[in-house]
Amino acid sequence: MTQRMNEQQRVELLEQVYQSSGTIGSSIPETVRIEDETVPLREFYFEVADRDHRQETERERIREVLSYLRRQRLQLIGQIREREVDYETGQSLVPRIQNLDRAINAFESLDEPCFEEQVRREKIESARELVDLMRELGKL
């Protein structure tokens, strides 16, 4: 049986997840499984990204994919945060989380009207995540 990670290892992994440069070099996952369907995520992204106007069915599908990606991300982070996995497994989750972050950022940017608004939203989300981490560590 593998040993659970200690507090220092947990904090280290969470810091890797939350560092702003974490998605550099990451890629959108090739496919994701949503309910009983395998979605070719990367292909879908490039297909809808090339269009100036999206149909409502495409917008709804994008919302579904984003919802799934966010849930998956939270689940993986939760496994690290709650120490449900050993350190080695946690290390393997970090790149997966970063790939999900990259995909989330890419899909969110499809309907972003301006770069400044996107940066503002990312800063707010990063600040929220930092506050959550600080609370968890008992620093707030």
Side-chain angles (χ1 to χ4, degrees):
M1 182 174 183
T2 56
Q3 207 173 28
R4 290 178 61 183
M5 71 177 89
N6 63 40
E7 182 64 16
Q8 181 181 353
Q9 292 170 326
R10 183 183 78 89
V11 169
E12 174 191 318
L13 292 176
L14 288 173
E15 285 175 351
Q16 289 176 30
V17 166
Y18 291 122
Q19 65 184 204
S20 60
S21 63
T23 59
I24 294 174
S26 296
S27 61
I28 296 174
E30 195 68 41
T31 61
V32 293
R33 188 128 180 100
I34 301 177
E35 295 175 10
D36 294 333
E37 180 185 356
T38 299
V39 176
L41 188 63
R42 192 176 303 163
E43 179 182 321
F44 176 62
Y45 171 77
F46 287 114
E47 179 182 314
V48 295
D50 284 343
R51 296 194 183 129
D52 289 333
H53 302 287
R54 290 171 199 82
Q55 298 176 356
E56 184 56 35
T57 54
E58 289 173 322
R59 281 193 222 105
E60 179 59 33
R61 190 67 176 147
I62 291 169
R63 285 189 290 269
E64 288 173 7
V65 166
L66 268 170
S67 176
Y68 169 80
L69 294 172
R70 289 179 183 128
R71 282 192 317 271
Q72 185 69 23
R73 179 184 185 276
L74 287 174
Q75 178 202 17
L76 295 176
I77 290 173
Q79 289 178 2
I80 295 171
R81 184 174 282 146
E82 302 301 321
R83 288 188 256 181
E84 296 173 2
V85 295
D86 59 58
Y87 182 68
E88 188 174 297
T89 303
Q91 286 179 306
S92 71
L93 293 179
V94 170
R96 288 178 56 197
I97 294 167
Q98 291 170 336
N99 286 344
L100 290 171
D101 284 344
R102 174 70 179 104
I104 290 167
N105 289 339
F107 277 100
E108 285 178 340
S109 71
L110 288 175
D111 288 327
E112 289 292 326
C114 70
F115 179 73
E116 291 82 13
E117 178 63 17
Q118 181 180 352
V119 169
R120 185 186 75 77
R121 288 182 187 179
E122 289 173 4
K123 285 181 180 180
I124 289 170
E125 181 61 28
S126 293
R128 284 185 186 139
E129 290 173 349
L130 182 59
V131 167
D132 288 345
L133 180 61
M134 296 295 285
R135 281 188 183 132
E136 197 172 301
L137 297 173
K139 304 289 182 183
L140 284 181

